[in-house]
Structure formats: C-alpha cells, structure tokens
Amino acid sequence: MKIEVANRLKHVEEYYFSKKLREVRELISEGKPIINLGIGSPDMSPPKNVLEAICEASYQENAHGYQSYQGLPELRKAMASFYLKNFNVDVNFNDEVLPLMGSKEGILHISMAFLNEGDAVLIPNPGYPTYASVTNLVQASPVFYDLREENNWEPDFEAIEKLDLSKVKLMWINYPHMPTGAAGSDDLFKKLISFAKKHQILLVNDNPYSFVLNQKPKSILQFEGAKEVAIELNSLSKTFNIAGWRVGMVLGNAEVLKSILQVKSNMDSGMYFGIQKGAIAALNLPDSWNIEMNSVYEKRRQLVWNICDKLGCLYDRKSTGMFVWAKVPKGKNENEISDYLLYKHDVFITPGTVFGSNGEGYIRFSLCVKEEKIEEVLKRIS
Ligand SMILES: Cc1ncc(COP(=O)(O)O)c(C=O)c1O
C-alpha cells in the first residue's frame, strides 16, 4: 500500500540530529568510542529535592489522572514568581503564563495559532532549525534575516526593512542566541519592539539559555511596550537539567496566550502531575543552583576553548550559553572539520550550516560533556 504523505511534509526533512544521531549510534555499536559534543542535552542531574518532589507526588492519590490544560495554579504561580525574581517582570499567573510540555512544542502551538498558509515568518539565520521547519509544517513561508559576526549576531534593521514584509505576521528571535552565544543588547530589544509595533508583527523571544554562563539574564518582557507586541518562551530543560521531562512556558499578552491555549488544549491532555510538582521545586531553587552549574560549565568551556586553539579555530570569550561557537581556520570548511573529528577522532560536533547558511565556516561544541571526556578529545587531536 502506498499512501502519499501530506503536502506539509514535502518541505520538511527529518530533524538533523534525529538522522545524525542514528549514524553516531551505529558507530558506537561498531565499537567506536564516540564522544558526543554535538547536542545540548544537559548531562548533570537535577538536585535531589527536585527528584524527591516528583517521586513523592507520584504516590499521591490524584497523581495519575488527566491534568488541567493550563497546568496547576501552583505551577503557574511558581513560573510567575520566577519571572518576577529573575527578570523583574510581573505577569498575572492566571492568564499571562501558560505551562508547555517543552518550548519546542510551543513553537508549533504558536505557529498553529497565528499562521495561515501563505503568511510569512521572519527567522534568524543562523538559528534554531525548528523555527523554519515548523513554519513549513504549517505551510507558511520562512523569510530569513541575516545575523552576522561583525554585527554581534544581531539583526541589521536596514536590511530587514528592505525585505518584503507585506505578508510577515510573526518574527522569531532568540537571545541569548543559539548557536552563536550572543547575549543581545538592551538596545536591540528596544529596536525589536518598535520594529514589531511599526509592522504589526508578533515578536516571539525564545529564551531557554538565559541562565547558562550569562552574566545578565534578560527577558524581552522587561522592556517598555513589550507586552503589546511580544511574548516569550522559556524552558526548564537547560536551566534545571530536566530536558527529558519536557517543561517549558510561554508568557506575555493574555489574549495571545488564550489563542495558544485554544490550540494546545486540543493537542494534549495536560502535563503529568509529578512533573508539575518537580518543576515547582526546580523553579523555587535558590540562586546557588545556577552558580554551581555555571562553575562546572565554565571549566568545560575553558577546555573546549583549548580544543579550538589546537584546531586553529577562533571564538568569542564573551559569548553566553551551553555551546562554544567557533570560526574554522581560513581554507577549511565546517563539514571538513566535523567529518575529520568524527571519522578520524571519534568526536561528534555540529557543523554550523545545520543552523542556516550563515553558519558556513563555523562549528558548534556542546558543553554537556564531562571534563574528563573533553580532556580525552584534547588528547586525541593533539
Ligand atoms: C534555541 C532553542 N529553543 C528551544 C529549544 C527547545 O527546548 P525545550 O527542551 O524546552 O523544548 C532548544 C533546544 O535545544 C533551543 O536550542
């Protein structure tokens, strides 16, 4: 039987990491001692009290039924307090915050809520590949805007104004930026808000890396006028080492969130009670948690910088996040270096073009690998 796939799949490929990790697993099964510096899945555990919270909640009588589509009020309150404490952003826990089962899923919910076939979406190049693939899935059209090193990986508004913006309804931004680690300046956020106002575009800041090696965590919602045009996605995946639990949130304008809930409530039947209880415990952790995590990431980053030095790659010591984004030496390209590391040294890293054409000439290293392993990589390439 041959059933033709839906048209929406015609412009979407299987996710790069879904394919590439299959190859990496095959290499491992052949006995290759692969070290995976490719993906940003935190390798450390969440703290004990967070694990205890999920375990204890699992024994409660009401734990295993369907849950509210909007999450427990207690979870929404914890998310709102987290934003107030960390970003000085005041959101109403009733209708200005919506828990999500991962922020990646939120990208689809938002796109389904606001995009029709033929609408256009501004997407950063380089950027998280899901923005473009989800745009294609809902049969809207990606309009890529360039981010370049000489501009601190911030958009060039003059260049964007020259694009055809007539059909643009939504713009994805992601500061601190993945993969480059650019923090995003206050001035940038202000310009983005007035740009979105001028063109009546829904601005979405995807903000999962705010607490990783970042001196000054920011939210777009702390800037004047943001709630009129912008919403923000955040995630507990990287901040609390619970990527597999799938907990994220979207915050901002109540009307916008209502439309997202309209989609979401038709797609899932609530987040597992125990996960919600664990998430509340995580959101209430003291600042010492981030300090502890960042001291580990800092040591790892120094070692990855040493690898870059050995490979002749350049990097920015002021960048943020759980990756090192490095420029390959003149005369080499990103695929040559990543293939060389994978097939010669059993080290998996990500070529920059996975994130768009402006990733040409760059490679990305994840910091989600123990120091001993990173030292082993250094030994292998020396
Ligand atoms: C920029 C960006 N946004 C969103 C996500 C997804 O995070 P979550 O685990 O909350 O779905 C990632 C994960 O790699 C990411 O890099």
Side-chain angles (χ1 to χ4, degrees):
M1 190 163 65
K2 177 102 177 91
I3 298 179
E4 210 183 325
V5 297
N7 289 341
R8 73 176 61 85
L9 277 195
K10 293 187 177 143
H11 304 285
V12 181
E13 281 184 35
E14 187 184 348
Y15 194 44
Y16 170 82
F17 288 108
S18 167
K19 269 190 296 194
K20 195 68 186 177
L21 288 173
R22 208 161 34 237
E23 184 190 343
V24 169
R25 273 195 301 274
E26 268 164 37
L27 292 170
I28 293 170
S29 71
E30 287 163 18
K32 302 258 187 230
I34 303 283
I35 297 178
N36 185 347
L37 289 168
I39 60 164
S41 179
D43 60 308
M44 292 179 275
S45 290
K48 202 161 161 261
N49 73 307
V50 170
L51 295 176
E52 279 164 0
I54 188 172
C55 293
E56 279 164 21
S58 298
Y59 287 98
Q60 284 190 27
E61 216 178 297
N62 60 351
H64 304 287
Y66 291 125
Q67 296 296 314
S68 151
Y69 299 99
Q70 277 177 280
L72 296 167
E74 197 187 339
L75 175 60
R76 279 183 275 122
K77 271 184 197 161
M79 287 172 166
S81 306
F82 182 79
Y83 255 65
L84 189 61
K85 177 182 148 206
N86 289 293
F87 302 116
N88 200 23
V89 167
D90 198 1
V91 288
N92 184 330
F93 80 94
N94 267 321
D95 55 6
E96 291 183 328
V97 55
L98 177 65
L100 300 170
M101 283 140 91
S103 61
K104 187 175 183 182
E105 289 79 344
I107 295 169
L108 180 65
H109 296 145
I110 293 167
S111 302
M112 288 188 75
F114 294 102
L115 298 173
N116 290 316
E117 190 173 343
D119 286 339
V121 182
L122 283 168
I123 294 174
N125 174 11
Y128 185 45
T130 303
Y131 310 135
S133 48
V134 163
T135 299
N136 285 321
L137 269 179
V138 300
Q139 294 175 293
S141 311
V143 176
F144 292 99
Y145 60 91
D146 292 322
L147 302 179
R148 297 193 192 280
E149 187 168 355
E150 58 269 24
N151 218 8
N152 291 324
W153 304 104
E154 293 190 355
D156 171 350
F157 286 92
E158 261 179 51
I160 296 186
E161 291 283 1
K162 288 189 189 130
L163 299 170
D164 177 8
L165 301 177
S166 58
K167 294 199 173 121
V168 173
K169 214 165 161 197
L170 201 148
M171 177 178 193
W172 291 104
I173 57 164
N174 158 228
Y175 290 97
H177 183 246
M178 194 291 299
T180 66
S185 60
D186 287 7
D187 194 42
L188 168 66
F189 281 109
K190 289 177 195 159
K191 281 188 187 149
L192 282 162
I193 291 165
S194 53
F195 172 79
K197 269 192 195 164
K198 177 176 163 197
H199 294 282
Q200 288 297 295
I201 291 171
L202 175 64
L203 188 60
V204 192
N205 187 36
D206 181 20
N207 190 13
Y209 295 101
S210 28
F211 300 97
V212 187
L213 294 177
N214 185 16
Q215 298 288 339
K216 207 176 152 229
K218 269 182 230 173
S219 158
I220 192 161
L221 299 176
Q222 72 199 51
F223 294 92
E224 210 186 307
K227 273 197 196 168
E228 291 161 44
V229 283
I231 55 172
E232 183 156 281
L233 281 173
N234 210 316
S235 168
L236 276 63
S237 295
K238 325 280 178 175
T239 309
F240 301 114
N241 299 341
I242 54 173
W245 288 25
R246 315 305 302 131
V247 191
M249 57 186 119
V250 56
L251 307 100
N253 189 292
E255 279 303 306
V256 173
L257 264 57
K258 209 164 131 191
S259 307
I260 299 170
L261 179 62
Q262 214 176 322
V263 174
K264 188 181 139 52
S265 58
N266 282 295
M267 291 179 67
D268 68 60
S269 299
M271 191 191 300
Y272 174 54
F273 179 75
I275 289 184
Q276 296 193 60
K277 288 290 198 179
I280 293 166
L283 289 161
N284 289 329
L285 284 170
D287 294 342
S288 56
W289 166 256
N290 287 327
I291 294 170
E292 202 185 306
M293 285 301 104
N294 281 326
S295 75
V296 176
Y297 284 129
E298 215 165 274
K299 286 189 207 130
R300 293 176 176 185
R301 184 170 64 177
Q302 182 56 58
L303 291 170
V304 170
W305 284 345
N306 296 347
I307 295 175
C308 290
D309 292 341
K310 277 252 165 2
L311 293 170
C313 294
L314 300 174
Y315 47 87
D316 178 2
R317 284 180 176 263
K318 291 193 296 298
S319 68
T320 67
M322 56 169 48
F323 302 99
V324 169
W325 179 247
K327 192 172 189 164
V328 305
K330 273 215 168 74
K332 295 260 182 284
N333 78 48
E334 66 288 347
N335 290 312
E336 261 176 278
I337 298 214
S338 55
D339 283 350
Y340 161 79
L341 287 174
L342 183 59
Y343 302 118
K344 263 246 182 290
H345 294 295
D346 299 317
V347 177
F348 173 45
I349 60 155
T350 313
T353 35
V354 167
F355 307 101
S357 57
N358 289 337
E360 196 179 320
Y362 293 86
I363 48 179
R364 191 194 78 168
F365 295 83
S366 160
L367 300 179
C368 299
V369 176
K370 309 247 172 299
E371 271 173 63
E372 308 84 83
K373 293 267 182 196
I374 308 177
E375 274 162 359
E376 164 70 21
V377 175
L378 256 176
K379 261 194 230 145
R380 286 187 195 174
I381 64 169
S382 284

